[in-house]
Amino acid sequence: MSPALMRVLRVVVLLSAVRGAPLATVTLPPVILEPVPLEPVPVPSEPVRVDSGADQNISIPINTEQQQQQQQQVSLDVDVMLTGELNPNHYPARRAAQVVLHHLNTRYGSPYWWGALRQVHKATAEALGDSGRKYSLEVTLQDQISGTKETCTAEVVFPGGPAGGPPQVTTSYEGKSEINTQAQEEALYNQYNTSQNLLSGHNLPDSYGHVAPGMEPFWHLGGVASSFVMLKESSENTLYNMAQVVSVTQLATENNQLRFNYDVLLHEMVSQEIIHWKLLASWSPQEGVKASQMELLPKCHHCEPPQEH
Amino acid sequence: MMLALVGMLLLQMGAATRAIHDYNVYHPYTEIDSWMTGILIDNPDIVSIERYGQTYEKRDINLLRIGERTGAMKKVAWMDCGIHAREWISPAFCQYFIKQILQEYRVHGSRMAAMMKEMDFYVTPVLNVDGYIYSWLNGTRLWRKNRSPGTGSCSCYGTDLNRNFNVTWGTIGVSTNCCSETYGGTAALSSPEAASVTRYLEQRKADVLLFLTIHSYGQLILVPYGNPNLTAPNYGQLMKVGLAAAAEMKKVHGMSYRVGTSPDILYPNSGSSRDWARLAGIPYSFTFELRDNGTFGFELPEEQIQPACEEAYSGAMHIINHVHREQFNAAVSVATASLLGVLLATCVTVANNAF
């Protein structure tokens, strides 16, 4: 019996055993200072609805320890995977829309263009064969640098099945229309296309949210390059943002591409985990941004910093 | 009389010589602690500090109690900040909120002055003190949980305080792995921080009108419950007030805040403080997720502290005003209606007698 099914059965048993307490209670059992047993869960009369097996587990990249963590995520398969018209403010549409933004960043991002989701206007979902799912969306995105907004439509396919795989995205977006970043990009490229004084930086932003003005383009570039990782790691159970560039170190230019080693922390909203990735970002105004050598670093439990005394 | 005058002069001098607290930067815990003492010293007539618990590392958990002293037990509006260590804008907001309400109180005839006669504000600037302090150390800025050690074979630190309250504890959106960011603890209320809140409010819950817990990021107003199997009896009302609050917030700086239950707009979860408050009978219970939407995330720039606090304040005050009006003006309107009824009856009688 699959672990997912086992969990469902345990939940159904638990819920059916503790039926009955009214919802709108004003009085509570007396305060107990020691740990208390599970409170009775009032349940509606309709049965717990079950999906075919995709539960609320986050798809943390495969790594033994994190695999264990994933399996210990306690979840109830109570959500039917919704199809048809979706509420654009609810999380299924928002998560799919976030994937669209990661895709757009991989295609159009640069040190001077870094897209973010502003609003979802419409969303529908449909089930595909092999338990894949397709979302059709209308979203407004915003360049986080200039603030320019655009609306476009998009389709996101989350492949199903045990192999999984990254989501596939197509959009009606045709490229940045208003703000012309070409001059800035070329200036930056020329400034750093040198083997001397290779750039390096760390903690972008710092603890106080500050990024030195000269480092901002490399913070943006880190965000865009991280979208390559976040895109391939995304599923219907995740929502990724880049939390911080831990470090950026420039390497010698190769094939006319500026190259940077990035060490980044990603924030996955559903699990609330901070996930550490390394990657190599290459960029030129002509080629845009590419990410390679993407490597997950394990969550370091035993490197506690020295305690403050 | 002379003594009182001298006393007041000394107070003023004390206030003037103490460094002005900058509300537009993030403060380490020791500075927040000193600031609380300063607030007390500057407003001894309406402020008191209550220590209502201890953290795992044995630090005090304090709240500021703000309101006119009437001798009777008054209705309460509760706010807590800093339950998750890395959400630094949250304690910053509690500091701003306290500064604002005190400022407004001092304006003669203001609405706040009237409210403070009838209500007390209980504000905890930092609930997860150990975690907050830990997030100020080198390399651990993004810490979330408290600092209780792992148990058994699990050696990681920290319980997610917002998964540790005893409402459908351990059922959904929570991990049993103590290394996870959403580890719910060994049992409901196993963390001293969460237990402090419930122990303190359990005795007073009949008088608590509002429970506001402040987080970041995501720009959301969350209403109970986090478990999709539970529906709050006043869900419609919570949504109405929440949506109105979000509309007010948008007027300040144009920022959109989405409103809904956590399972609808964010993710299902169990054991949250907001859920505990609603199930305890506190009618209005909300989680605020402040700026931003992920650009800076937990590391919101200090330049954004003021605008973030201004919009959050307008949202919080909308809810507070609604709750206050519902509780206190309802009594007034009933009395007014009766009076009008009597007057009308009298007029009709007089009119009838005139003809």
Side-chain angles (χ1 to χ4, degrees), chain A residues 99-117:
Chain A
V99 172
V100 173
L101 264 301
H102 289 311
H103 164 85
L104 289 175
N105 280 328
T106 65
R107 297 287 308 279
Y108 301 101
S110 85
Y112 294 100
W113 195 91
W114 187 23
L117 175 66

Side-chain angles (χ1 to χ4, degrees), chain B residues 184-234:
Chain B
T186 50
L189 300 178
S190 56
S191 72
E193 296 87 354
S196 299
V197 173
T198 57
R199 196 182 311 125
Y200 182 76
L201 284 179
E202 191 57 48
Q203 303 160 36
R204 297 162 173 77
K205 62 189 180 188
D207 290 313
V208 181
L209 302 176
L210 168 64
F211 185 95
L212 275 180
T213 181
I214 312 297
H215 292 244
S216 76
Y217 59 93
Q219 295 181 207
L220 307 169
I221 297 178
L222 301 173
V223 307
Y225 284 97
N227 187 313
N229 283 342
L230 291 185
T231 306
N234 61 340

Side-chain angles (χ1 to χ4, degrees), chain B residues 41 75 86 114 172 228 285 353:
Chain B
I41 292 173
K75 295 298 181 188
R86 58 195 181 197
I172 191 168
S285 182
N353 289 348

Side-chain angles (χ1 to χ4, degrees), chain B residues 21-178:
Chain B
H21 185 82
D22 188 345
Y23 290 91
N24 296 324
V25 298
Y26 296 115
H27 292 278
Y29 187 71
T30 49
E31 288 177 13
I32 297 177
D33 198 39
S34 308
W35 164 81
M36 286 176 76
T37 307
I39 292 286
L40 172 67
I41 292 173
D42 289 349
N43 303 276
D45 49 338
I46 57 166
V47 172
S48 58
I49 295 183
E50 271 185 70
R51 170 178 164 272
Y52 67 96
Q54 272 200 323
T55 64
Y56 180 81
E57 290 176 344
K58 301 279 181 265
R59 295 187 176 90
D60 291 344
I61 305 177
N62 293 313
L63 59 81
L64 284 167
R65 182 176 173 169
I66 307 175
E68 281 188 9
R69 294 185 187 118
T70 61
M73 178 63 201
K74 293 160 70 191
K75 295 298 181 188
V76 173
W78 167 280
M79 182 184 295
D80 64 82
C81 293
I83 190 172
H84 286 141
R86 58 195 181 197
E87 299 165 11
W88 285 12
I89 186 62
S90 169
F93 175 63
C94 268
Q95 291 163 63
Y96 176 92
F97 179 83
I98 288 165
K99 169 196 59 129
Q100 270 312 108
I101 63 175
L102 288 170
Q103 220 166 277
E104 289 182 21
Y105 171 75
R106 298 290 174 203
V107 174
H108 185 70
S110 66
R111 183 180 188 149
M112 183 59 67
M115 269 206 286
M116 292 239 202
K117 287 181 168 43
E118 291 159 335
M119 262 177 28
D120 281 343
F121 294 89
Y122 289 23
V123 184
T124 303
V126 185
L127 177 55
N128 180 8
V129 184
D130 296 348
Y132 185 71
I133 290 172
Y134 191 70
S135 72
W136 277 75
L137 301 181
N138 208 3
T140 51
R141 171 64 175 83
L142 296 176
W143 189 259
R144 167 182 169 90
K145 302 185 284 181
N146 77 347
R147 290 294 298 165
S148 54
T151 54
S153 58
C154 190
S155 61
C156 297
Y157 278 70
T159 293
D160 183 346
L161 298 181
N162 210 33
R163 302 288 184 278
N164 191 237
F165 286 76
N166 55 336
V167 181
T168 71
W169 176 83
T171 55
I172 191 168
V174 65
S175 177
T176 54
N177 182 331
C178 90

Side-chain angles (χ1 to χ4, degrees), chain A residues 14-15 23-44 48 56 65 68-69 72-76 78-79 89-92 94-95 98 114 116-118 144 204-211 219 241-244 265 267 269-274 299 301-302 304-308, chain B residues 26 57 86 88 133-138 140-142 144 147 155-157 163 166-177 179-182 187-190 195 198-199 202 205 217-218 225 227-233 258 262-268 276 278-281 293-296 298-303:
Chain A
L14 179 68
L15 289 177
L23 260 180
T25 50
V26 176
T27 55
L28 256 194
V31 170
I32 304 165
L33 296 185
E34 312 92 286
V36 298
L38 192 63
E39 292 287 313
V41 178
V43 294
V48 171
Q56 291 290 318
E65 184 184 281
Q68 288 170 5
Q69 207 167 313
Q72 284 161 342
Q73 188 88 359
V74 177
S75 55
L76 300 177
V78 292
D79 280 357
N89 282 326
H90 286 191
Y91 77 75
R94 296 284 299 196
R95 291 179 194 176
Q98 186 85 337
W114 187 23
L117 175 66
R118 201 73 294 145
Q144 296 176 80
L204 313 173
D206 69 12
S207 293
Y208 310 93
H210 297 140
V211 181
W219 169 51
N241 288 292
M242 182 183 74
Q244 189 185 48
L265 296 175
H267 174 233
M269 183 73 81
V270 181
S271 64
Q272 292 291 348
E273 294 294 329
I274 302 295
K299 186 167 168 171
H301 300 304
H302 307 293
E304 303 285 338
Q307 293 297 315
E308 211 172 37
Chain B
Y26 296 115
E57 290 176 344
R86 58 195 181 197
W88 285 12
I133 290 172
Y134 191 70
S135 72
W136 277 75
L137 301 181
N138 208 3
T140 51
R141 171 64 175 83
L142 296 176
R144 167 182 169 90
R147 290 294 298 165
S155 61
C156 297
Y157 278 70
R163 302 288 184 278
N166 55 336
V167 181
T168 71
W169 176 83
T171 55
I172 191 168
V174 65
S175 177
T176 54
N177 182 331
C179 296
S180 280
E181 296 285 14
T182 57
L189 300 178
S190 56
T198 57
R199 196 182 311 125
E202 191 57 48
K205 62 189 180 188
Y217 59 93
Y225 284 97
N227 187 313
N229 283 342
L230 291 185
T231 306
R258 287 181 294 134
S262 195
D264 279 345
I265 65 173
L266 184 59
Y267 45 56
W276 176 84
R278 177 62 273 221
L279 194 64
N293 263 317
T295 304
F296 291 93
F298 301 115
E299 295 171 329
L300 192 71
E302 289 176 313
E303 311 84 72

